[in-house]
Amino acid sequence: MTRPARLAALDSAGEPLVVLYGEAVDDVFVGADYRAVRIDEALCDVLLAEGFERIVFSGVKWNVYFLDERSRASSRPRPAAQARARRMRSGLTGPMGNGIIADLGTAPAPVPVQGLGDEAAVRLMDSFMREGGPRTALVFLEADEWLRHSNAVRNAAAALSGWLGGSGGHLVVMLFKHQTLLAVQDAVAATHGFPRLESHLTRLREPGRHGAFAVGPPDAAELERLVHLLRLRSGLAPADPREVSRLARDLASARLPLRVWESRLTRLATEGTPLGRGLLRERGWVERPGHGDDNPWERLERMPGLAPVKQHLRRLNAWLAAERALRERGRGGPGRGSPHLVFAGNPGTGKTTVAELVGEMYRDLGLLPSGHVVQAELATIVSRFVGNTAHEVTARVEEARGGVLFIDEAYRLVQQGPGYGQEAIDTLVSLLESGREDFVAVLAGYPEPMERLLDANPGLRSRFPRTNVIEFPDYEPGELLAILLGMLADRGLTWTPETEPALRAVVTKVRDEAGAEFGNARVMRNLAGELYDRWAEDGDPDRPLEPSHLAGLLPDAASAGPPDPAELLSELDAMVGLSGVKDLVRDLYQVLALRGRRRTGQDLIAPHLLFVGPPGTGKTTVARVVGRVFAALGLLRTGAVREVSRADLVGEYLGHTAVKVREAVRSALGGVLFVDEAYGLSEGGGHDPYGQEAITALVKEMEDHRGELVVIAAGYPREMDDFLAANPGLRSRFAERIEFPGYTTGELTEILRIAAAAQGYTLTAAAVEKAADWLAAEREAGGAAFGNARTVRKLLERLETGLARRTANGAHDLSTITHEDVPHAPR
């Protein structure tokens, strides 16, 4: 077998230990000979080709086994009976005398050494590695399991120490299903039984050392071979045979093990379903084709603005394509140099989107196998513990192998001062200069701070020359309008012809009033959310967006001026009950207005708020009113409300949570971040590190964006007290507490009447009385968890169902709800 591309770099270079790690160490491999083989088969062929005469395998199923006859024969004399069994019966002959040819063209079957316990297996392997006989490679296919669960840990540790320090040209190969070498080292350390192996792994992590190789997912070439193999073996039918190479690139972008694709594609062959890019989109198997059948260059051209970016990347593409053409003709020159890039620009200028496109471009040019993008920020690469930062940076680079490492706001590394941030920079430079060509780094951030970052280490300038710095300009008003309209269309909105020029005026006003660090597309996203909220409050899905929805957003020349905050407060009067809430919101408005009139020279900052009460008491609606009032007072830019819960703030692993909190806060800048059921972040107390990380990150973001954001945290009273106690900084930042009491039965029936009228229904007096009984019983049964207005909505649905049943036989009055339509109160 030809060596699989994913094992092409495997070379012990005189090391006594080779470590293979990654998500694909137990994968299937397809080499240039179009054979699909297991990892042990592939390693057997590779090691035999490297000159090893005996290959010994150890796995979970068998403590010791062999794949080739030569290794087996050199390890244990073959019994005479077994030798006789490979001859024909007496009197029979063939073209080769009485010999037998067995298993022609089949994969080698494992031949285990039977009856070996852990102690005996260690002794046998030790005898192979210490004797002066055949040059031996000992392969542990599930090294984790062997280290953790061996019943002969002490003897195994002693034997392994001898193998790592021995001579004779023998080799130990250990396979670990961990993403990074650091994770392998941590797993070995956790066993507390193999210190010699742990120290050897530390040396393998030093730059320039051989012996550690990541086994990643298959590249496009290997997947293309798989497709052709399954065409011959299983009858797989590509929808367009000319598109196989492109299909393979799409499959590679998903970064899945080859065995997953083998199973999926074999199933397609069994179904008789053609393989095409549309099918990949339909089944959700890959993301890249979700953009359509166009290439990344076409998608880049469709992005509004970014003329300098497009010009730079077109020139880069021409250089890289020319280099590839010269190499194909055997005329390779000095080359383009470093492929690593710096994206310098304000937030919301498309840097993350373009980084994803660059990954695809580099993949299509053959510079990267998959082109996937790993996003990293300060929280995911700088550790709070001494020495761990280098590990975190290395881990992110390992994740980015075959693709792009995108470090957003990279300049923050130099803002940390001497220490951890500098350690991250130095580690990244070391990895970039170690000769690794299997990933591309893209650093992003504000222009001036990025220049200071590049000056922090001479190696950064050499890897990120000025020709690789791409400036992302702020969007012009026309480009921002195109972005905004696209976002509104994505939400399903339409607009009248008069609305578009009004929106242009709003966008121009926002752009002109922005500071040096304008949020560009992020501001448009917040504006689109605000416009959607205003449109949705009308309750008419067929009504287009109209200039009236832009009240307060238009500049003075295009509107009658900003609305009176007192008029906005009148929206509260339309709400049933909540007299205490209305009084507190009005008092808050009057105090803030007074401070604004006094103009004492101090910054006027909108306060963060606690909304405390049971569900269904109007907290979200009041939050929207508060946002608009604060915007009308000039305390917030848009006043739009962004609703989040624990699921939106807590990540899948430690370090990811801070990133999600930052994303949520950035999406709400200029408005209100409404954290519903905020106590969910503290319910686990000190036993929930993810919730605590979210709270800590939220407190920091509230401080960092003071004056740009209002956070409203909502939930039950007692649970919200626990939430405030979870972090000392919370109580001081939530200075205002507004209590939302549960509705009385009379208020609930009034809410029911208003909601029914909004849908064109009227209730008879008897229906109202019966509905009141039902609501009172539900409230008593529900206790503190009673849904208030939410329960009213549920009741209205049941009333409509009752009306439909009663009038199904041809009754003419289809809008009056009677007592017959109301369910009986639960007893």
Side-chain angles (χ1 to χ4, degrees):
M1 172 189 176
T2 57
R3 180 180 295 211
R6 286 183 281 168
L7 300 178
L10 181 58
D11 179 10
S12 64
E15 293 277 1
L17 171 69
V18 163
V19 173
L20 300 179
Y21 61 93
E23 69 271 27
V25 292
D26 60 349
D27 203 5
V28 176
F29 298 81
V30 178
D33 55 1
Y34 289 83
R35 282 177 53 208
V37 297
R38 305 181 308 267
I39 182 66
D40 55 351
E41 298 175 74
L43 285 175
C44 187
D45 286 346
V46 168
L47 293 169
L48 287 173
E50 290 292 323
F52 290 94
E53 302 164 287
R54 175 168 54 196
I55 318 298
V56 184
F57 292 93
S58 179
V60 171
K61 187 173 183 180
W62 298 298
N63 271 330
V64 176
Y65 73 92
F66 308 96
L67 281 180
D68 67 300
E69 180 60 28
R70 179 180 178 184
S71 295
R72 179 175 177 274
S74 66
S75 304
R76 196 176 200 183
R78 197 168 12 153
Q82 192 176 25
R84 286 195 300 272
R86 299 191 61 78
R87 300 292 176 181
M88 291 186 181
R89 291 196 302 259
S90 177
L92 295 178
T93 61
M96 298 184 65
N98 64 347
I100 294 176
I101 298 176
D103 299 328
L104 181 63
T106 61
V111 180
V113 178
Q114 301 288 355
L116 280 183
D118 290 351
E119 292 278 3
V122 170
R123 287 196 299 271
L124 179 60
M125 290 186 285
D126 195 38
S127 69
F128 295 156
M129 299 295 285
R130 290 182 180 275
E131 67 183 28
R135 188 177 177 216
T136 299
L138 178 56
V139 182
F140 292 92
L141 293 169
E142 291 101 357
D144 262 328
E145 298 297 320
W146 187 74
L147 294 175
R148 284 186 295 158
H149 301 302
S150 173
N151 292 323
V153 171
R154 182 172 298 180
N155 289 347
L160 185 57
S161 295
W163 304 339
L164 297 182
S167 57
H170 301 315
L171 177 68
V172 178
V173 181
M174 307 190 87
L175 279 64
F176 293 88
K177 198 169 184 182
H178 293 285
Q179 294 286 339
T180 66
L181 188 57
L182 173 62
V184 172
Q185 187 175 356
D186 290 342
V188 172
T191 65
H192 304 293
F194 297 88
R196 178 66 182 272
L197 175 59
E198 187 180 348
S199 63
H200 197 93
L201 290 170
T202 301
R203 290 197 296 276
L204 287 182
R205 294 182 57 242
E206 297 172 357
R209 289 296 294 265
H210 291 269
F213 304 94
V215 183
D219 61 13
E222 188 173 0
L223 285 164
E224 186 173 354
R225 291 194 293 270
L226 174 68
V227 172
H228 289 307
L229 173 64
L230 294 179
R231 290 177 69 182
L232 299 173
R233 191 176 73 185
S234 306
L236 177 67
D240 184 350
R242 297 169 299 178
E243 288 288 311
V244 170
S245 295
R246 196 169 181 181
L247 279 167
R249 290 198 298 270
D250 291 333
L251 300 182
S253 71
R255 292 184 57 76
L256 293 172
L258 189 138
R259 65 176 179 275
V260 172
W261 289 119
E262 182 183 31
S263 173
R264 289 177 174 179
L265 300 183
T266 301
R267 189 163 66 248
L268 289 183
T270 302
E271 297 170 357
T273 304
L275 171 64
R277 304 188 89 212
L279 178 75
L280 297 179
R281 288 196 296 274
E282 177 185 327
R283 302 209 175 182
W285 286 351
V286 297
E287 294 183 8
R288 292 285 194 269
H291 300 288
D293 290 338
D294 51 354
N295 62 44
W297 294 100
E298 293 168 343
R299 300 207 300 278
L300 176 66
E301 288 300 325
R302 286 204 301 270
M303 292 180 68
L306 302 180
V309 176
K310 295 171 182 177
Q311 180 181 5
H312 191 117
L313 288 176
R314 281 194 294 267
R315 186 182 300 118
L316 178 64
N317 177 58
W319 283 331
L320 294 172
E323 280 185 23
R324 183 176 63 177
L326 288 174
R327 285 195 302 270
E328 290 173 352
R329 291 162 175 75
R331 294 159 46 200
R336 160 83 176 107
S338 173
H340 310 295
L341 302 172
V342 171
F343 287 177
N346 281 333
T349 48
K351 296 188 293 294
T352 304
T353 301
V354 174
E356 294 173 352
L357 294 176
V358 165
E360 292 185 62
M361 294 169 184
Y362 279 12
R363 180 199 66 192
D364 293 346
L365 286 166
L367 298 178
L368 294 172
S370 68
H372 71 286
V373 176
V374 172
Q375 295 193 40
E377 293 180 325
L378 189 72
T380 61
I381 57 178
V382 174
S383 172
R384 293 176 294 174
F385 305 104
V386 176
N388 268 14
T389 292
H391 296 174
E392 294 296 338
V393 174
T394 303
R396 299 294 84 74
V397 169
E398 292 292 347
E399 291 176 27
R401 286 184 72 255
V404 174
L405 176 63
F406 179 73
I407 304 180
D408 198 12
E409 296 187 346
Y411 59 85
R412 296 181 67 190
L413 294 172
V414 292
Q415 293 177 348
Q416 302 301 300
Y420 300 153
Q422 189 64 45
E423 181 184 0
I425 295 170
D426 295 343
T427 303
L428 179 61
V429 170
S430 175
L431 292 170
L432 290 171
E433 294 181 344
S434 64
R436 300 191 60 160
E437 302 295 338
D438 55 357
F439 82 102
V440 165
V442 176
L443 309 183
Y446 296 114
E448 289 186 12
M450 289 303 293
E451 286 295 320
R452 291 194 292 272
L453 169 68
L454 294 177
D455 291 334
N457 185 301
L460 279 178
R461 278 292 183 192
S462 65
R463 291 291 167 177
F464 298 91
R466 294 194 182 279
T467 54
N468 286 33
V469 178
I470 302 179
E471 297 282 349
F472 281 67
D474 285 338
Y475 289 109
E476 295 298 326
E479 297 162 350
L480 291 170
L481 177 63
I483 293 171
L484 176 63
L485 293 176
M487 292 175 175
L488 294 174
D490 288 343
R491 290 172 176 258
L493 269 64
T494 60
W495 47 88
T496 64
E498 300 80 20
T499 304
E500 190 165 328
L503 284 173
R504 180 182 289 275
V506 172
V507 168
T508 302
K509 172 190 173 185
V510 170
R511 180 67 185 86
D512 291 344
E513 293 178 354
E517 297 179 355
F518 178 52
N520 289 282
R522 295 183 185 177
V523 176
M524 294 302 101
R525 187 177 300 111
N526 292 340
L527 180 57
E530 166 72 1
L531 293 171
Y532 184 88
D533 287 345
R534 293 178 173 213
W535 170 84
E537 287 177 0
D538 288 340
D540 182 359
D542 296 322
R543 181 182 179 184
L545 193 68
E546 299 173 352
S548 61
H549 293 116
L550 277 60
L553 298 175
L554 289 167
D556 292 342
S559 81
D564 184 352
E567 293 180 10
L568 295 175
L569 287 174
S570 66
E571 293 183 38
L572 294 175
D573 294 331
M575 299 180 67
V576 175
L578 302 179
S579 58
V581 172
K582 296 172 184 177
D583 290 342
L584 284 170
V585 172
R586 284 196 178 88
D587 289 345
L588 178 62
Y589 155 65
Q590 290 167 359
V591 169
L592 291 172
L594 172 64
R595 292 176 183 173
R597 292 195 302 272
R598 292 185 64 199
R599 301 183 182 276
T600 60
Q602 297 179 343
D603 289 337
L604 186 58
I605 305 296
H608 304 298
L609 306 173
L610 282 181
F611 283 5
V612 178
T617 49
K619 295 188 289 294
T620 306
T621 303
V622 173
R624 292 196 180 101
V625 173
V626 166
R628 289 198 288 274
V629 168
F630 285 175
L633 286 169
L635 304 181
L636 291 175
R637 191 171 62 248
T638 68
V641 176
R642 165 90 154 89
E643 296 182 49
V644 296
S645 62
R646 176 186 168 97
D648 301 301
L649 301 177
V650 172
E652 299 173 3
Y653 50 85
L654 286 178
H656 185 216
T657 292
V659 176
K660 294 191 71 172
V661 172
R662 274 193 71 240
E663 290 176 349
V665 167
R666 296 302 167 87
S667 69
L669 288 180
V672 174
L673 181 68
F674 183 77
V675 187
D676 198 14
E677 297 182 349
Y679 53 82
L681 299 174
S682 60
E683 282 185 323
H687 303 292
D688 178 14
Y690 299 100
Q692 288 296 320
E693 184 183 4
I695 292 173
T696 302
L698 181 61
V699 170
K700 183 180 185 303
E701 292 295 325
M702 292 167 69
E703 185 62 31
D704 289 348
H705 298 286
R706 188 168 177 267
E708 300 177 85
L709 172 81
V710 167
V711 176
I712 299 179
Y716 292 107
R718 182 178 60 80
E719 287 82 351
M720 290 303 290
D721 289 337
D722 295 338
F723 167 69
L724 293 178
N727 185 295
L730 283 175
R731 197 174 296 277
S732 63
R733 283 170 176 79
F734 288 101
E736 300 289 343
R737 180 186 181 106
I738 299 180
E739 300 278 351
F740 284 70
Y743 289 108
T744 65
T745 301
E747 291 168 344
L748 291 171
T749 53
E750 179 63 13
I751 293 171
L752 175 64
R753 187 192 62 77
I754 294 172
Q759 296 188 31
Y761 297 120
T762 58
L763 278 74
T764 65
V768 170
E769 183 177 353
K770 190 175 180 182
D773 291 340
W774 186 91
L775 288 166
E778 284 287 315
R779 187 178 58 183
E780 183 177 355
F786 176 60
N788 289 281
R790 298 179 187 175
T791 304
V792 170
R793 288 194 292 272
K794 181 175 71 173
L795 174 59
L796 181 57
E797 291 174 0
R798 296 185 64 176
L799 297 182
E800 192 173 33
T801 300
L803 175 63
R805 288 199 195 104
R806 182 171 57 80
T807 59
N809 293 326
H812 295 295
D813 188 353
L814 304 180
S815 60
T816 301
I817 296 173
T818 71
H819 72 283
E820 300 174 76
D821 307 323
V822 182
H824 294 289
R827 301 299 179 190

